Amino acid sequence: MHCKSHFVAASCAALLLLAAAAQSADAATAQSGLQPGGKLIELDEDNWHLMLQGEWMIEFFAPWCPACKNLAPTWERFARVAKDVKVQVAKIDVTTSPSLSGRFFVTALPTIYHVKDGEFRQYRGARDGDALLYFVKKQQWQSIEPLSAWKKPDTIHMSVLSYFFKLSHTLKDFNGRLQEEYGLPTWGSYALFAIATIFVGAALGLLLVCLVDFVYPPKKSQRQSFSESQDNLAEGVEDLATEDIEDDGEAEENEDEQRESDEEEPQDDDDDEEEEEDSEEQAGDLASQEKEADSEPEKAEKLEPKQAGDSAPEKTEQVRKRKPRKGD
């Protein structure tokens, strides 16, 4: 009897241990996102990092996408048969996980990725079950170039891009809520977003200026208060005014000198004219004297026509001596 009681107690303890082990296994399976029996796995923003280990085939879809609806049955059948080649098949709804669409830079739907130990390759083949199974069974993914380092979804810059995608989706939902629940017109919601954008931009700009000023502080020689800058500005204006006054004074002096030179020029012209008139008068006097000198020998010849011999040459020589020269 005592042995039976010990046996029953041991059996109960074993059952409890088995139940605990099964419960822990179920919890681990649920935590990892894996579903038994080769079923389709749903990944989201919280558990997407599970694809970084092992081999995965990931589909990005949206409920409103017609091509995604046509692919859905094929993708589920592929998930059931892919367990034989130890490949996990998952899908991601971009409407509920917008950050993942930004992280993987999804621009078309449906988009299929093959992931192998952190290496990402985009599948561009046929979308039927046989082609998908042949792709993973024959390891055709090795012929596809993996994504470059700057486009890998697990990098920092792609994480930042995913937050922007998530923010845009949040703003879109907020806009729809304003119009549907609060009855705000379309122009009102756009105006509200425009005002918010202006204030946010101003705040970010001020923050950036403060950050730059903190990282690269200005030198002491460059630091000036508002009053000092105003004083320097006033001094500069005064200097410009004095320079203008000096320039005006110099211009007036030049004008006075020009006027004096212009007044002196007519006097010089008058002197030149007087000199020309004097020279003309002198030339006239010389011409009249020559005429008188020429007329005197003729009178002498008329008064003494009959004189002969040596007297005529002497008189002519005397007349020639009296004749003035033009050079004088």
Side-chain angles (χ1 to χ4, degrees):
M1 186 70 181
H2 185 68
C3 293
K4 289 182 180 181
S5 61
H6 282 289
F7 179 75
V8 171
S11 300
C12 292
L15 291 174
L16 290 174
L17 291 174
L18 290 173
Q23 186 175 2
S24 62
D26 293 339
T29 303
Q31 185 178 2
S32 64
L34 302 178
Q35 298 183 7
K39 292 183 180 180
L40 190 60
I41 304 171
E42 293 185 4
L43 296 179
D44 53 21
E45 297 174 352
D46 298 327
N47 61 354
W48 74 272
H49 59 277
L50 296 174
M51 68 176 70
L52 300 178
Q53 296 178 356
E55 187 174 0
W56 292 73
M57 289 290 287
I58 314 294
E59 178 203 5
F60 290 86
F61 77 101
W64 46 264
C65 175
C68 300
K69 294 179 180 178
N70 295 331
L71 181 62
T74 303
W75 197 251
E76 290 179 357
R77 288 195 300 270
F78 173 64
R80 287 193 293 268
V81 298
K83 65 178 182 179
D84 298 333
V85 290
K86 297 181 180 180
V87 175
Q88 303 293 334
V89 181
K91 63 179 181 179
I92 297 175
D93 187 357
V94 296
T95 59
T96 59
S97 302
S99 64
L100 292 180
S101 63
R103 189 182 291 273
F104 283 82
F105 208 75
V106 177
T107 58
L109 295 175
T111 298
I112 300 174
Y113 274 94
H114 175 270
V115 185
K116 174 68 174 177
D117 295 331
E119 289 187 351
F120 301 86
R121 295 175 175 84
Q122 187 172 357
Y123 174 78
R124 302 180 184 273
R127 296 175 181 174
D128 58 88
D130 295 336
L132 292 169
L133 185 61
Y134 187 79
F135 177 79
V136 295
K137 184 180 290 186
K138 298 298 181 179
Q139 297 184 357
Q140 291 184 344
W141 48 266
Q142 293 181 353
S143 61
I144 300 175
E145 187 72 19
L147 295 180
S148 58
W150 67 275
K151 291 182 67 176
K152 291 183 67 175
D154 55 343
T155 56
I156 297 176
H157 54 275
M158 296 305 289
S159 300
V160 174
L161 183 62
S162 68
Y163 284 112
F164 279 106
F165 269 77
K166 189 174 182 179
L167 178 61
S168 65
H169 190 268
T170 303
L171 293 176
K172 183 179 179 181
D173 292 341
F174 180 69
N175 184 29
R177 187 179 301 174
L178 288 176
Q179 296 181 8
E180 294 176 0
E181 295 183 4
Y182 298 97
L184 190 67
T186 304
W187 63 268
S189 62
Y190 280 115
L192 182 62
F193 276 103
I195 294 172
T197 302
I198 292 172
F199 278 101
V200 171
L204 291 177
L206 180 61
L207 179 63
L208 182 61
V209 170
C210 294
L211 182 61
V212 172
D213 194 12
F214 178 76
V215 176
Y216 299 101
K219 297 180 181 179
K220 293 182 179 180
S221 59
Q222 296 177 351
R223 293 180 179 176
Q224 292 182 353
S225 62
F226 180 76
S227 59
E228 291 178 352
S229 61
Q230 292 295 324
D231 294 338
N232 294 333
L233 181 61
E235 291 177 358
V237 172
E238 291 178 357
D239 294 338
L240 291 175
T242 53
E243 290 178 359
D244 293 337
I245 293 171
E246 291 177 357
D247 294 337
D248 294 337
E250 292 178 357
E252 291 178 356
E253 292 177 358
N254 293 330
E255 289 178 357
D256 295 336
E257 293 177 357
Q258 186 68 26
R259 288 175 184 174
E260 292 176 357
S261 62
D262 293 339
E263 290 176 356
E264 291 176 355
E265 287 179 357
Q267 294 178 358
D268 297 336
D269 295 337
D270 295 337
D271 296 338
D272 295 337
E273 290 177 357
E274 290 178 357
E275 291 178 358
E276 289 178 358
E277 290 176 355
D278 295 337
S279 62
E280 289 177 357
E281 290 178 356
Q282 292 177 1
D285 296 336
L286 293 174
S288 61
Q289 291 176 3
E290 289 178 356
K291 288 179 180 181
E292 291 177 356
D294 292 335
S295 62
E296 287 179 358
E298 291 178 357
K299 291 179 180 180
E301 289 176 358
K302 289 180 180 180
L303 292 175
E304 298 177 357
K306 293 182 179 182
Q307 291 180 358
D310 299 330
S311 60
E314 292 176 358
K315 292 180 180 179
T316 56
E317 290 178 358
Q318 292 177 357
V319 172
R320 288 178 181 176
K321 289 180 180 180
R322 292 177 182 175
K323 196 178 218 183
R325 295 180 181 179
K326 293 182 180 181
D328 297 335

